[in-house]
Amino acid sequence: MTADEIAFGFPPGFLWGAATAAHHVEGDNRNCDWWAWEQAGGHIRDGSVSGRACEHYSRFREDFEMLAGMGHNAHRLSIEWSRVEPSPGVVDAGAVAHYREVLETLRRLDLEPAVTLHHFTSP
């Protein structure tokens, strides 16, 4: 039996996709609490740090194109608040514009965004 012959029976409108967390994938997330914790050393057995991660912050377009090409119709992502509000009461317009572009790219590719407002890090 081939994959095409299998009837999964998902209901209409079922969201099929993947998920990311900003700190895990974006890279160079220097303003959050976990960046400082990682850089201090001695916390992670092998000394790993997030560093550039997989550079999703700059590569999100091609990442989302791959997801759409794999048949996804949704993507769960988080907004990195330490980018949006790098210091108390200061909003970075460039970061806001970036996340707007991220969401617009998902919509353009017919990927339904599901946004997590707080995942893992704090400013």
Side-chain angles (χ1 to χ4, degrees):
M1 180 178 288
T2 68
D4 292 336
E5 296 170 319
I6 298 172
F8 292 106
F10 290 110
F14 185 84
L15 298 178
W16 190 264
T20 57
H23 186 71
H24 299 159
V25 297
E26 287 183 350
D28 290 325
N29 185 24
R30 297 171 183 270
N31 290 328
C32 77
D33 56 346
W34 279 91
W35 181 272
W37 184 85
E38 294 170 350
Q39 302 305 312
H43 299 292
I44 302 171
R45 183 179 298 179
D46 69 357
S48 295
V49 295
S50 57
R52 293 178 16 200
C54 60
E55 299 179 338
H56 179 70
Y57 195 84
S58 61
R59 296 175 182 230
F60 67 90
R61 290 172 207 83
E62 57 199 274
D63 292 344
F64 295 159
E65 288 170 0
M66 282 190 286
L67 295 177
M70 294 176 0
H72 292 201
N73 65 4
H75 183 68
R76 202 273 302 150
L77 68 150
S78 62
I79 302 289
E80 180 50 59
W81 289 109
S82 69
R83 292 186 192 276
V84 172
E85 187 178 4
S87 58
V90 175
V91 174
D92 183 322
V96 172
H98 169 80
Y99 286 114
R100 178 182 302 275
E101 185 177 359
V102 165
L103 296 172
E104 289 171 349
T105 300
L106 286 168
R107 292 286 191 186
R108 182 177 50 78
L109 294 169
D110 294 322
L111 294 164
E112 181 70 26
V115 178
T116 299
L117 296 178
H118 182 266
H119 184 147
F120 191 63
T121 63
S122 296

